[in-house]
Amino acid sequence: MQTARLRLLEISYEISRSILHRLKPVFRQNRVTSTVFIGIETVTKKPLFNCKMCGQCILHSTGMVCPMNCPKNLRNGPCGGVRQNGNCEIQPTMKCVWVRAWDQSKKMRNHQKDIYTIQKPLDRRLTGTSAWLNDIHSSTR
Ligand code: SF4
């Protein structure tokens, strides 16, 4: 991904997160709000990031590369099977998601070091829910 596009996505993420956290009291976790957020995320994040709606978005930690596109769904870096050309051991024609994440995270402006964050295990109960709502309501900010 081009650096300019990556920076634009990063800025969009920061602005969206800031606004949504300020509006936290408005967004109660109910069925209507969830449906609206899930719809928005589906039409925006799926085409942009091939989002799998895991409900626990870490795009800002992975250079805006969705880690759920890793065939092993790894959330903390690559497996031991990355090919010499940087491609995936399961899908040999695909660049390893984590090689892409590493390369792109270096181009981030404010989130370069986020890739070192140890991610929690994936909570499969959140699959199909809104990552934004989950983020807003789990944060103490
Ligand atoms: S990390 Fe989860 S919420 Fe974020 S783009 Fe990937 S599947 Fe979607």
Side-chain angles (χ1 to χ4, degrees):
M1 188 183 290
Q2 290 176 341
T3 305
R5 187 164 178 236
L6 195 61
R7 294 264 164 85
L8 188 64
L9 290 171
E10 185 180 13
I11 290 167
S12 303
Y13 162 77
E14 288 169 349
I15 292 172
S16 303
R17 189 164 198 259
S18 173
I19 292 171
L20 290 173
H21 276 267
R22 278 174 221 272
L23 294 174
K24 178 177 176 175
V26 177
F27 297 126
R28 300 220 168 78
Q29 262 184 321
N30 58 38
R31 185 176 279 192
V32 176
T33 314
S34 291
T35 304
V36 170
F37 269 74
I38 289 167
I40 293 169
E41 288 184 38
T42 302
V43 298
T44 56
K45 288 165 70 176
K46 276 201 176 178
L48 274 174
F49 309 109
N50 200 21
C51 171
K52 308 295 186 193
M53 297 298 287
C54 75
Q56 301 134 89
C57 200
I58 56 169
L59 281 171
H60 61 285
S61 299
T62 54
M64 297 293 174
V65 176
C66 173
M68 302 314 291
N69 285 285
C70 165
K72 298 180 183 179
N73 284 181
L74 297 180
R75 304 274 287 188
N76 281 295
C79 68
V82 184
R83 294 170 188 268
Q84 280 199 327
N85 64 359
N87 284 6
C88 172
E89 87 170 333
I90 307 287
Q91 294 182 29
T93 57
M94 181 181 88
K95 186 102 170 169
C96 168
V97 164
W98 283 98
V99 169
R100 287 177 53 223
W102 178 260
D103 289 345
Q104 289 196 185
S105 69
K106 299 295 154 221
K107 298 179 195 167
M108 301 280 276
R109 190 185 53 157
N110 295 324
H111 298 277
Q112 279 188 5
K113 296 209 162 90
D114 291 9
I115 197 157
Y116 296 107
T117 305
I118 305 293
Q119 303 295 336
K120 289 188 278 188
L122 193 67
D123 184 349
R124 298 275 178 192
R125 293 170 298 181
L126 296 175
T127 301
T129 62
S130 162
W132 275 121
L133 274 185
N134 295 334
D135 179 59
I136 293 166
H137 291 290
S138 68
S139 171
T140 53
R141 197 174 103 175

